[in-house]
Amino acid sequence: MSTESIAWPRPAATPLPWVEQLHQWVTTVDHKRLGLLYMFYALLFLIAGGVEATIMRIQLIRPLNHFVSPQVFNRMFTMHGTTMIFFVAMPVMFGFANYLIPLMIGARDMAFPRLNAFSFWMTAFGGLLLYFSFVGGDGLYGAGNAPDVGWFAYAPLTAQTFSPGHSTDFWTLSLLVSGFGSIGTAINIIATVLCSRCKGMTLGKMPLLAWLNLTMAGLVILAVSPLTAAQVMLLVDRYLGGHFFDTQAGGSAVMWMHFFWVFGHPEVYVLVIPAFAFASEIIPVFSRKAIFGYPIMVAATVCIGFISMSVWAHHMFAVGMSAAGNTFFVLSTMAIAVPTGIKIFNWLATMWGGQIHFETPMLFCIAFLFQFLIAGLTGVMQAAAPFDWQLTASYFVVAHFHYVIVGAILFTLFGAVYYWFPKMSGRMYSERFGKLHFWLFVIGFHLTFDFMHVPGVLGMPRRIYTYEPGRGWDIWNLIITVGVFFQAAGVLVFVVNLLWSYFRGKVAGNDPWDAWTLEWSTTSPPPAYNFATLPEVGSRRPLWDLKHPEDPDWQYE
Amino acid sequence: MKRGLIALSASAVTGFAGPVHPFLSPTNIFAPASTPAQSIFDLSVFVLEVTAAIFIVVFSLLAYAVVKFRKRTTTEGREPAQVYGSTQLELAWTVIPVLIVVVLFLAAARVIASIQNAARPSNAIQVTVIGHQFWWEYRYPGLKVVTANELHIPVSDPAHPTPTFLTLLSADTDHSFWVPRLAGKTDLIPNHPNSMWLDPHQTGLYLGQCAQYCGTQHALMLLRVYVDSREDFDRWIRVQSQPAHVNSKVSVGQRIFETTACVNCHTIAGTAAKGTFGPDLTHLMSRQTIASGAAKNTLGTLIAWIYKPDLMKPGSKMPSMGLSIQQSAAVATYLATLR
């Protein structure tokens, strides 16, 4: 099948005036444009969250530093956490799901294009609302400040007594608004995957990315709903005299913890399952082998989805649950290591016996495997509740979850951007700059987050704006901060690479990676309608079947 | 004047924790000195051994695959053999992790029970710990002692244990009691009383700090636990249960103290000061630090602290009372007599 014949030849139209173009982007309901909007928006917030992290690290570079005040430091870690989770990681994952799912399952768009646009703009305005707090957070006082209650905003610190002004309201309302957007997108993904697949694509022949995003969307609905409910309860407490979490009137601080973490832990899997999805697409193509054990990969994913709903209270081992309660959550948390381990072994088995190509996307995926292994093992350490009584709320935990969110999720994300950039832009990125980005980021990541485990073991709690000398923490904090600058340099190279390649990169063609899923059968970038004629597939790797008619996959599946 | 005070309050904190500790840090979780910390340490060594073994196996496989199966020019243009899965292999890497999980779970469950279900002996010391923004209140029910920020407990001989049981309460937001060498952390949550226990085997000073974000000055809510010999502990209790020693030479400072809002928050037993919002000052000078460990307890730091609390601990709940530097000095001189 000649791929040129699928897409309609595009008319060489004169470029529209920029107002028209902007209008088209703002009013678009096209899944690819919305996907790109999500990604662009997430990139802006990534830079904002990165600046906040850098401010914190400069403050902690030496003991008793006076770079920022405690008030500013507390706002920085609250905004950094909230931004990175809700306005970087979730939107970028939704962006990729939006862009890729219809293309990979042979559909013309998402199931509900208007809901899609609505969801994006809800998320976008939620983020703007959060950042508006820098201007309007103090309410009547005028000066303005951002929320400073921490990204999990434990009660009763969020009560009017302890958080006067409007900064906490901006936090609550922004998550409420973007939460509606997340739920809308999740419904859309589920409907699209279940109802819009092309002819021949049974559930068992879907690309793994579609399966994993289906699981992710299910988790979003189950996890974000309690968070949204809790935000409404918090607003009722603050403005309508409710006492859900108001401990001074008999409310329960522990109930907020349950509400938050019953969202918060599945949220980790909401982010990491799409990361698994990228690895499951990239590793086979760059090892030149089919994914090893497709059915068990799907089963392990769905299993992770279910178990992840039953582990939330491992964030609360120090809260004073009963011995029986703690013991249950040790078991459920450790159980999740089993399906996760299966996935790691299956990716390894995919590489085993292949021909591994070390282009930038694969480099990021190999680093992901290594780092996710470590992140999983430090997770097992914290799953042992008594060990966690020492480790929780220390810098060890901070190191652990950054190993997951940066070392696993952000690494595969970078890999995914490089892998699909040729499809999205029609241009190849610069391999040399890609490798430079990779090595800068690997060095920076390991300097920062490997050494971050140490002060945790030496008793340094998280969220302290300063510390005294003589605690044995100084040298580690210095190294951690140095690593941040390597990471920042890496991100700078990344942005430059994308911009330069978009305008000057060499033309990519439809299928630069000799890959096997449907998105590579249409033009780069794909036309608005994706496929001139809707494809029909006979296996999980339709393009493999076309390229190898002598040895097609459908004979084995 | 103001610069001098900033320098004073800064120097009060700088270099305060003493020389580098033999265990890398005075708060190293791997230098246990009490039974709960010791059993956590033993469990963590076991968990570290198991996870290290897993790491070595999986990392070796990954490294081998990356080196051995890298693209070679000789294979260019030919696709490798396509393998779609293997039930035996996948079964193996399901069952083996399940077994490892069961072992780790049982090991953890045993330690949970041994710490959380430990019986309280009749000779145990009972202390109520109340977390405040941003300081610690300690009450010894039955011993008529109330103090702040520096906890004194007796050493516990493993042959004849005299453990200390802490009841953990909070007056405002969530806090967490964490002295790594003595035990894991337990949160102090309003409306949710918790408990934990310690039985330190050696006398000495054990450091820690609040481990649950509780507001602006979470960072300087430091913990100091003095483990005394039994005799020293009994003597300390005897002194602490006395009312304040009033000295007529410092009546100027006392009058300022008692006629400003100081008395709304602080108690000095035997005087008109009966506030409960701030630390009990009856035996202030028996403590080595002020402002919850933020500074050494000297006349100079007391003056600085009273004059402008925000210089030493920005965001603390102690207000500046608008006293002149002379008035602050008089109050500090009065407080310095409270032994």
Side-chain angles (χ1 to χ4, degrees), chain A residues 148 155 356 390 392 458 471 553, chain B residues 25 27 69 84 174 185 213:
Chain A
D148 60 353
I356 302 173
Q390 292 282 21
T392 189
L458 299 182
R471 299 290 286 270
D553 266 5
Chain B
S25 166
T27 44
F69 301 111
Y84 298 90
D174 305 330
K185 62 184 75 65
Y213 177 63

Side-chain angles (χ1 to χ4, degrees), chain A residues 64 70-71 74 77 148-150 152 154-157 162 246-248 250-254 257 287-294 296 318-323 326-327 330-331 334-335 337-338 341-342 344-346 348-349 351-359 366 369-370 373-374 377 380-381 384-394 456-466 468-473 514 516 541 544 548 551-553 556-557, chain B residues 10 13-21 23-30 37 40 43-44 47-48 51-52 54-55 58-59 61-62 64-66 69-72 75-86 89-90 93-94 97-98 101 104-105 108-109 111-113 115-117 133 171-174 176 178-181 183-187 189-192 194 207-220 222 293 312-315:
Chain A
L64 303 171
Q71 289 88 349
N74 297 345
F77 69 66
D148 60 353
V149 289
F152 42 82
Y154 270 5
L157 200 57
F162 303 106
D246 177 5
T247 48
Q248 290 178 321
S252 169
V254 177
M257 298 177 190
S287 306
R288 310 306 306 159
K289 276 182 66 202
I291 189 81
F292 190 91
Y294 174 100
I296 198 173
V319 162
M321 291 188 293
S322 67
N326 283 332
T327 308
V330 171
L331 183 61
M334 285 186 173
V338 175
I342 291 173
I344 291 188
F345 284 116
N346 277 26
L348 277 176
M351 292 162 67
W352 205 269
Q355 291 163 18
I356 302 173
H357 293 232
F358 293 102
E359 272 89 8
I366 292 170
L369 283 177
F370 172 68
L373 170 65
I374 296 175
L377 293 175
V380 169
M381 293 174 202
F387 202 178
D388 190 62
W389 292 334
Q390 292 282 21
L391 298 177
T392 189
S394 80
V457 166
L458 299 182
M460 181 169 173
R462 64 195 289 199
R463 297 178 163 181
I464 55 172
Y465 77 96
T466 195
E468 56 185 10
R471 299 290 286 270
W473 304 340
D514 192 8
W516 304 312
R541 296 194 296 171
W544 171 275
H548 300 272
D551 184 30
D553 266 5
Y556 305 99
E557 282 171 9
Chain B
V13 191
T14 317
F16 175 53
V20 174
H21 209 264
F23 310 114
L24 286 175
S25 166
T27 44
N28 187 345
I29 66 169
F30 291 138
I40 292 173
L43 173 70
S44 46
V47 174
L48 283 169
T51 47
I54 298 171
F55 175 78
V58 182
F59 175 73
L61 290 172
L62 175 62
Y64 181 81
V66 167
F69 301 111
R70 68 185 189 278
K71 178 185 67 175
R72 288 162 207 277
T75 54
E76 198 72 64
R78 268 184 295 129
E79 300 281 18
Q82 301 294 307
V83 181
Y84 298 90
S86 153
L89 274 176
E90 287 162 34
W93 60 58
T94 308
V98 166
V101 161
L104 287 175
F105 163 68
V111 177
I112 292 174
I115 294 176
Q116 282 199 280
N117 298 340
Q133 283 181 323
D172 37 51
T173 61
D174 305 330
S176 192
W178 188 29
V179 182
R181 294 191 61 206
K185 62 184 75 65
T186 310
D187 291 354
I189 300 167
N191 287 351
H192 185 88
N194 275 336
L207 299 179
Q209 65 192 87
C210 178
Q212 182 62 265
Y213 177 63
C214 55
T216 309
Q217 263 303 348
H218 166 58
L220 292 184
L222 304 175
M312 192 180 288
K313 198 169 168 179

